[in-house]
C-alpha cells in the first residue's frame, strides 16, 4: 500500500508568511478573520510605505553619484517587492487552483519510487525556503551590527528622514528600531515572494520525474496490450495536466521574472560600485556582501527551478524510449510517437513571453550588470 503524499505541504511556509503579511485571509467568521484588515494595514505601513518612501527620497536628495548608488539599490529592491506583492495578490486565485491540480496528480502516483520523488522534493523545497529566510535575516543582522559598532549614529540602511534622527539618543533609538522592524517584515515578504515560484516549479519538475518513472515501466509487466494502452492514455492525460500547470505558472510569473532580472542587474551594478569605490569597515563590507548574495540568489532560485522543469521535461523523451514499445501493437506505438513529439518541445517559464528562464539567463543578467557598472565607472571618471 502506498504512503499518502501531499504536494501542497511544500507550500506551507509561503502561505504562513502570506497570512502574516496580510495576503491570505483566514475565515471571516473567526476573530482573526474579522480583524484581519486592521492587521494587514498595521503590518504593512512600515515595510511597504514608510521604508520605500525613505529610500526614494534619499535618492532624490543625494548630492553625488556615490551617495546615489548607496541608496539606489535599496529603492530598486523595495520597489520590486512592492510590485511582487501586487502580483501575488493578483495571481493568488491561480495559485490555489494549482494546488488543486497537484492534489489530482498526487492521486495518480502508482509506485513507491514515484511517491519518494515527491517526498524528497517537498523536503528540499522546505529547506531552501528556510535557508533563504535565514539569509535575508542575516542581511538585517549584519546591517545592525555595523550600525551599532559605528562611531557615529548611523542607520543599518541609509534612508531619508523628515527629522534629525541623530539629534538625541532617544530619537535615534526609535528610528533605528522602526527601520529594523520594517526590514525584518520586509525580509518575510521577500522570502515568501521569492521562494513561491521556486516551490511551484520544483514540484512540477518532481511530478514530471514521477510520470517519467511510470512511463518507463509501460510494457514491462504482465498486462494485456489493451491495459497497457489504457495506462499510456492515463500518462498522456497526466502529461497534459502538467503542461496546464506550466501554462498557469507562466501566466503568473512571466512579468514578475522580467522585473526581477532588471532589479538584480541594477542592484548588482550599484552594490559592486559601492564595494569597490567606497572605503568602509569590515562589518559593513560583510553586510554588503550578504546583501549582494541575497539579491543574486533571488534570481538564481527562479532560474534553477525553471531549469529543473525543462530538464525533467526533456527526460520524458528518454523515458518514452525505455518503454517496451517493440512488443506492443501498432496503435500503442503510434500513440507513443505523438507523445514523444510533444515531450521534445521544451517546457519552462518564459519571461515577458520572449526570454526563456534558464541558468544561462542568470549569466546574461550578470553581464548586463557589468555593462551598467562600466557606465557608472566612466561617469565617475568624468566627475
Amino acid at each position: 500500500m502506498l504512503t499518502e503524499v501531499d504536494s501542497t505541504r511544500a507550500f506551507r511556509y509561503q502561505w504562513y508568511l502570506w497570512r502574516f503579511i496580510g495576503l491570505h485571509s483566514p475565515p471571516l467568521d473567526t476573530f482573526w478573520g474579522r480583524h484581519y484588515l486592521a492587521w494587514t494595514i498595521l503590518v504593512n505601513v512600515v515595510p511597504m510605505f514608510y521604508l520605500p518612501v525613505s529610500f526614494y527620497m534619499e535618492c532624490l536628495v543625494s548630492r553625488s553619484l556615490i551617495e546615489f548608488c548607496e541608496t539606489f539599490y535599496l529603492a530598486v529592491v523595495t520597489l520590486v517587492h512592492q510590485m511582487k506583492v501586487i502580483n501575488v495578490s493578483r495571481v493568488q486565485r491561480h495559485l490555489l487552483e494549482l494546488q488543486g491540480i497537484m492534489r489530482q496528480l498526487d492521486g495518480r502516483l502508482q509506485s513507491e519510487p514515484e511517491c519518494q520523488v515527491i517526498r524528497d522534493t517537498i523536503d528540499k523545497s522546505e529547506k531552501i525556503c528556510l535557508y533563504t529566510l535565514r539569509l535575508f535575516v542575516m542581511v538585517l543582522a549584519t546591517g545592525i551590527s555595523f550600525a551599532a559598532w559605528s562611531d557615529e549614529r548611523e542607520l543599518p540602511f541609509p534612508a531619508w528622514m523628515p527629522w534629525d534622527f541623530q539629534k538625541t539618543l532617544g530619537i535615534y533609538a526609535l528610528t533605528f528600531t522602526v527601520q529594523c522592524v520594517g526590514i525584518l517584515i520586509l525580509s518575510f515578504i521577500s522570502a515568501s515572494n521569492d521562494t513561491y515560484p521556486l516551490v511551484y516549479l520544483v514540484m512540477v519538475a518532481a511530478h514530471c520525474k514521477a510520470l517519467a518513472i511510470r512511463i518507463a515501466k509501460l510494457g514491462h509487466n504482465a498486462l494485456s496490450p489493451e491495459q497497457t494502452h489504457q495506462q499510456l492514455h492515463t500518462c498522456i492525460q497526466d502529461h497534459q495536466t502538467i503542461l496546464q500547470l506550466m501554462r498557469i505558472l507562466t501566466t503568473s510569473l512571466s512579468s514578475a521574472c522580467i522585473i526581477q532580472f532588471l532589479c538584480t542587474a541594477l542592484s548588482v551594478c550599484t552594490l559592486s560600485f559601492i564595494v569597490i569605490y567606497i572605503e568602509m569597515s569590515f562589518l559593513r563590507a560583510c553586510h554588503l556582501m550578504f546583501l549582494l548574495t541575497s539579491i543574486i540568489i533571488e534570481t538564481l532560485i527562479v532560474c534553477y527551478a525553471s531549469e529543473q522543469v525543462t530538464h525533467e521535461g526533456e527526460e520524458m523523451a528518454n523515458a518514452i524510449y525505455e518503454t517496451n514499445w517493440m512488443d506492443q501493437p501498432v496503435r500503442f506505438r503510434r500513440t507513443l510517437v505523438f507523445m514523444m513529439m510533444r515531450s521534445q518541445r521544451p517546457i519552462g517559464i518564459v519571461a515577458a513571453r520572449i526570454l526563456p528562464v534558464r541558468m544561462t539567463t542568470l549569466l546574461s543578467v550578470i553581464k548586463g550588470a557589468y555593462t551598467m557598472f562600466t557606465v557608472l565607472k566612466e561617469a565617475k571618471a568624468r566627475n
Side-chain angles (χ1 to χ4, degrees), residues 199-215:
V199 177
Y200 277 94
L201 288 170
V202 296
M203 290 310 302
V204 171
H207 280 288
C208 278
K209 188 174 183 178
L211 178 59
I213 293 173
R214 197 184 324 154
I215 290 173

Side-chain angles (χ1 to χ4, degrees), residues 116-134:
Q116 190 60 43
V117 167
I118 304 301
R119 284 195 292 267
D120 290 344
T121 306
I122 291 172
D123 294 339
K124 180 175 69 173
S125 63
E126 289 182 340
K127 289 178 181 178
I128 293 176
C129 293
L130 290 175
Y131 289 147
T132 304
L133 179 59
R134 289 169 186 168

Side-chain angles (χ1 to χ4, degrees), residues 282-343:
F282 175 74
L283 284 175
R284 190 183 184 192
C286 291
H287 165 64
L288 291 180
M289 291 307 298
F290 273 112
L291 186 57
L292 182 62
T293 302
S294 65
I295 290 173
I296 293 175
I297 284 179
E298 285 181 325
T299 300
L300 172 65
I301 57 179
V302 176
C303 295
Y304 164 77
S306 185
E307 183 81 32
Q308 287 291 105
V309 174
T310 303
H311 172 72
E312 296 300 338
E314 292 171 349
E315 287 296 309
M316 193 85 67
N318 295 331
I320 292 172
Y321 188 76
E322 290 177 5
T323 62
N324 186 19
W325 54 271
M326 291 180 291
D327 295 336
Q328 301 303 314
V330 174
R331 185 177 63 159
F332 178 92
R333 284 181 277 176
R334 185 182 296 115
T335 306
L336 200 65
V337 167
F338 284 120
M339 186 179 185
M340 177 174 283
M341 292 171 61
R342 179 60 188 86
S343 66

Side-chain angles (χ1 to χ4, degrees), residues 1-7 9 106 109 112 115 118-119 122:
M1 182 176 180
L2 294 179
T3 307
E4 185 177 354
V5 174
D6 183 9
S7 295
R9 190 167 63 87
D106 291 338
L109 301 175
E112 188 59 30
C115 296
I118 304 301
R119 284 195 292 267
I122 291 172

Side-chain angles (χ1 to χ4, degrees), residues 49-114:
F49 296 98
Y50 166 77
L51 285 180
V53 169
S54 67
F55 296 146
Y56 302 154
M57 291 300 298
E58 183 69 11
C59 286
L60 292 176
V61 301
S62 58
R63 296 182 296 271
S64 67
L65 180 61
I66 291 179
E67 287 185 5
F68 177 80
C69 289
E70 283 187 291
T71 315
F72 179 72
Y73 70 90
L74 294 170
V76 170
V77 169
T78 52
L79 175 62
V80 168
H81 285 298
Q82 284 178 312
M83 299 178 71
K84 284 184 177 180
V85 168
I86 295 172
N87 184 65
V88 169
S89 63
R90 181 181 65 86
V91 304
Q92 197 174 69
R93 180 176 58 84
H94 296 300
L95 299 180
L96 289 171
E97 181 184 350
L98 289 174
Q99 290 193 340
I101 296 174
M102 286 190 179
R103 290 193 186 97
Q104 295 177 13
L105 291 174
D106 291 338
R108 299 277 200 166
L109 301 175
Q110 298 179 3
S111 65
E112 188 59 30
E114 297 174 45

